[in-house]
Amino acid sequence: MTDTRAPGITSLATLALGLFLHVAGISADPYPVAPQVDVQHYRFAIDLSDDTDRIQVHTRVDLHLRAPGSARVEFDLVKKSAQRNDRGMTLRAVSSQDRPLSYSHQADRVTIDLPPELRTQRKLSIDLHYDGVPETGLIIGPNKYGDRTFFSDNWPNKARHWLATVDHIADKATAEFIVTAPSRLHVVCNGTRLEQSVVKGGLTRTHWRQSVPISPWLYVLGAAEFAIQQVDQFDGKPIETWVYWQDRDAGFQDFAVPTKNALAFFSSYVGPFEYEKLANIQSNSVGGGMEAASAILYGDESVSGSLPRSRRWQTVIVHELAHQWFGNSVTESSWDDVWLSEGFATYFTFLFFEHAQGKAEFDRHLIDARERALAFSDEQPDYRVQHANLQNMANVTTRQIYDKGAWILHMLRHRVGDSAWWSGIRSYYRSHRNATAATSDFRQAMERACECSLLSFFDYWLRTGSTVNLDARWQHDASTGRLKIDVTRRGHTTGAPPMTLEAAVYSSGSPLPVMVAVPLDNGGGTATLDMETRPVRILLDPRTKILASWELTETAP
């Protein structure tokens, strides 16, 4: 996800916000997934109107009872209340197989009592009828041109404001949306469009179906007067652009690239693209981008029509595309593990730009992210990338999740080597695609790939402030022809795994540097080099490998 509330993946990028984390064996999920049910499929029939913000919804939930004998099932649905200025949903009826069921709707939870004859069934369908004006989750109102629009904004747990769901990141299900709306509107949702029909009263019925299981925060609905373009295909799946009709020419230009190239890159290096289409959609419900599966939302101002295309928004597009693999297909099993989504999408954006534009562009992204990560650490030195039993969804992500999360992946790549790193990435994706994963799952995939232990690496970089500040000193002794580089390590050093600081040493007799590796333990390290003349320049970390700050000074021998 990208959003203007937090910095993202370029120097302009107050862009990236996107979601998630689970620490197996460390803490309990404060909002556990409903233990008694496994939702298989949702069918949302929704009526939208130009005359009122009230929506009418019929939700059918197909589920498996995890164990026979369950006396009740529960769903999340925000209830209309005076505290919300009479916004929220009013539940009108609940049934199964046309049989009314008793229920209660309290504290934004629907608890449904199952009669004895239903408790023995492993498969069950439940119908819920409700209506109301959403407080949030579905944004109803004018876009930048003053046109009335409807756009979802479910992240991180706001689907419950307008959809009856098990609104938990780990509860993945297929879904379909059948939306009846004024005929002036075009409706876009996840997956494949199955129907678009005119119905009486100046209305149109549009039916979309998502056949791949996803989490509720990834469900999307957009209804606006769109200009729609079939841009291309990738692997036989359509690439589409949906922009406001006033932005047709500029929007078609802005979103023409780099979607296909990025889909090809991620498919080649990680694994297949899972979804039925890829739609880039202009909306007014997000500030930057929201990576809803197969249907990505971008902010009102995402379209400019400028040439060259906005570097900022091109970066956002790639970031949201990377989420189709990390966050959408492989979803973290609790919000504690948000870095599995945002750190991954950020780093894989860097990797795409290295592929498309070269190593210098890759390093530029890394250096910008390092500067932001170090500045954040100065302000919050104890902040950890992996949350510990996150209680407040307002704190689910910060810029550090993106920037430091990306750097952790980068340092892990150098720790285990390119071959093992890519092998671990592919194995992790293959094992957990269209499912969920915890940080421990990713660590184990990497350990199998490198045949090494990474526990201390993960503990230090993810679960402590893990700041690295280096005080580096060098001295050249002409009498012995020796150069010595001495480094003291400061900051969070307890439990710190070894790391290596590279130094590029330049002499007057050669345009190419001599590379010196300084192994660092908790306290630091030293390296020496035979060198007859005093170096003209020493550059630390010339290949951009470590997340650290440093001061380099010359001392007398």
Side-chain angles (χ1 to χ4, degrees):
M1 175 186 176
T2 58
D3 190 282
T4 52
R5 293 171 297 175
I9 50 188
T10 71
S11 58
L12 297 171
T14 54
L15 292 175
L17 264 186
L19 322 95
F20 329 80
L21 186 164
H22 168 77
V23 188
I26 295 179
S27 60
D29 189 337
Y31 178 61
V33 66
Q36 73 275 38
V37 301
D38 178 15
V39 176
Q40 300 294 301
H41 183 75
Y42 294 103
R43 182 182 186 273
F44 303 109
I46 303 173
D47 291 346
L48 307 178
S49 172
D50 273 340
D51 298 326
T52 176
D53 290 348
R54 182 174 303 279
I55 64 173
Q56 296 186 14
V57 187
H58 170 200
T59 296
R60 172 166 291 178
V61 187
D62 298 331
L63 55 86
H64 288 174
L65 293 178
R66 294 184 185 275
S70 296
R72 62 185 57 87
V73 296
E74 292 183 327
F75 300 101
D76 299 295
L77 184 66
V78 169
K79 185 178 181 180
K80 176 182 174 180
S81 68
Q83 291 76 17
R84 295 190 172 98
N85 296 317
D86 289 332
R87 292 176 177 265
M89 297 295 117
T90 298
L91 188 56
R92 304 295 184 181
V94 177
S95 62
S96 179
Q97 301 172 3
D98 296 324
R99 172 178 178 170
L101 301 178
S102 63
Y103 63 89
S104 65
H105 190 186
Q106 302 295 330
D108 301 331
R109 300 272 285 197
V110 178
T111 302
I112 302 168
D113 296 322
L114 298 180
E117 60 270 24
L118 293 183
R119 298 176 190 177
T120 60
Q121 298 185 20
R122 297 304 297 268
K123 295 182 179 181
L124 194 62
S125 293
I126 293 179
D127 293 275
L128 302 94
H129 295 263
Y130 50 96
D131 59 76
V133 178
E135 181 185 34
T136 187
L138 182 67
I139 308 304
I140 305 172
N143 65 9
K144 68 178 182 177
Y145 293 110
D147 295 338
R148 179 175 171 84
T149 61
F150 302 77
F151 284 104
S152 55
D153 179 26
N154 293 337
W155 180 83
N157 61 343
K158 292 185 292 188
R160 66 191 69 185
H161 281 269
W162 63 296
L163 299 175
T165 58
V166 176
D167 193 9
H168 188 283
I169 188 172
D171 199 271
K172 305 181 78 167
T174 58
E176 57 192 305
F177 283 80
I178 303 168
V179 182
T180 302
S183 291
R184 67 177 183 86
L185 299 173
H186 304 94
V187 175
V188 61
C189 299
N190 311 93
T192 300
R193 186 169 61 189
L194 302 180
E195 178 190 359
Q196 183 173 312
S197 301
V198 173
V199 296
K200 66 180 181 179
L203 302 174
T204 297
R205 169 189 169 103
T206 310
H207 186 178
W208 291 85
R209 181 181 177 92
Q210 170 69 44
S211 63
V212 181
I214 56 176
S215 300
W217 64 270
L218 293 169
Y219 297 153
V220 68
L221 186 154
E225 294 172 86
F226 284 116
I228 305 165
Q229 182 186 39
Q230 300 295 317
V231 181
D232 205 335
Q233 286 193 344
F234 174 76
D235 197 21
K237 301 172 181 180
I239 298 172
E240 303 171 354
T241 295
W242 297 62
V243 294
Y244 306 149
W245 68 268
Q246 298 94 330
D247 286 337
R248 175 191 178 278
D249 294 340
F252 287 177
Q253 173 192 281
D254 288 351
F255 286 114
V257 295
T259 297
K260 185 171 185 177
N261 288 341
L263 289 173
F265 174 76
F266 296 134
S267 294
S268 175
Y269 282 85
V270 180
F273 176 63
E274 291 295 317
Y275 304 112
E276 295 96 332
K277 71 169 184 302
L278 196 290
N280 292 313
I281 306 163
Q282 186 182 15
S283 75
N284 66 350
S285 63
V286 299
M290 163 51 66
E291 63 274 13
S294 80
I296 301 171
L297 299 179
Y298 302 90
D300 255 346
E301 303 302 326
S302 58
V303 173
S304 68
S306 62
L307 286 175
R309 292 177 175 87
S310 165
R311 189 176 200 171
R312 170 194 179 197
W313 285 105
Q314 291 283 288
T315 304
V316 174
I317 291 171
V318 177
H319 182 90
E320 307 310 331
L321 290 169
H323 271 308
Q324 304 300 305
W325 282 260
F326 301 109
N328 295 8
S329 180
V330 178
T331 305
E332 50 271 44
S333 49
S334 97
W335 290 107
D336 276 353
D337 282 328
V338 64
W339 88 282
L340 293 176
S341 177
E342 295 306 339
F344 274 62
T346 302
Y347 189 60
F348 275 82
T349 298
F350 300 171
L351 290 171
F352 171 77
F353 281 110
E354 179 183 33
H355 166 78
Q357 300 178 19
K359 181 68 162 55
E361 183 68 7
F362 176 68
D363 286 346
R364 185 188 73 81
H365 281 291
L366 279 170
I367 291 168
D368 286 348
R370 178 165 63 191
E371 290 176 355
R372 292 191 300 268
L374 293 173
F376 187 101
S377 290
D378 288 342
E379 297 173 1
Q380 299 187 49
D382 296 323
Y383 185 88
R384 48 184 284 167
V385 171
Q386 187 178 28
H387 298 309
N389 197 19
L390 180 70
Q391 299 291 320
N392 185 349
M393 287 297 106
N395 299 325
V396 67
T397 192
T398 66
R399 69 181 186 232
Q400 198 72 332
I401 301 294
Y402 299 78
D403 296 325
K404 190 172 181 179
W407 260 98
I408 290 169
L409 288 172
H410 185 61
M411 291 187 293
L412 178 62
R413 184 178 165 197
H414 288 292
R415 165 72 175 79
V416 303
D418 254 19
S419 178
W421 191 84
W422 280 110
S423 176
I425 289 290
R426 294 184 185 110
S427 173
Y428 167 71
Y429 180 76
R430 186 169 55 249
S431 297
H432 301 284
R433 68 187 183 95
N434 300 328
T436 61
T439 293
S440 57
D441 295 314
F442 176 58
R443 175 178 58 81
Q444 290 163 12
M446 281 295 171
E447 288 180 334
R448 288 191 295 270
C450 71
E451 299 181 344
C452 63
S453 173
L454 296 170
L455 185 60
S456 64
F457 179 95
F458 275 69
D459 280 345
Y460 178 74
W461 286 109
L462 288 168
R463 298 163 192 144
T464 73
S466 57
T467 53
V468 177
N469 304 310
L470 304 176
D471 180 13
R473 300 163 302 281
W474 67 272
Q475 58 180 246
H476 181 259
D477 189 336
S479 64
T480 61
R482 300 279 287 175
L483 171 71
K484 179 182 180 183
I485 301 175
D486 186 59
V487 181
T488 301
R489 181 171 178 172
R490 309 187 191 282
H492 286 265
T493 60
T494 302
M499 61 192 308
T500 299
L501 172 66
E502 289 185 339
V505 180
Y506 292 83
S507 64
S508 58
S510 173
L512 299 176
V514 175
M515 300 297 295
V516 179
V518 186
L520 305 178
D521 58 21
N522 286 1
T526 301
T528 59
L529 175 68
D530 291 330
M531 193 172 193
E532 293 185 0
T533 60
R534 180 182 177 277
V536 297
R537 184 188 181 201
I538 297 178
L539 180 63
L540 298 184
D541 192 30
R543 295 190 284 187
T544 320
K545 289 185 174 182
I546 65 170
L547 178 60
S549 63
W550 55 79
E551 294 288 339
L552 177 63
T553 58
E554 181 182 8
T555 61

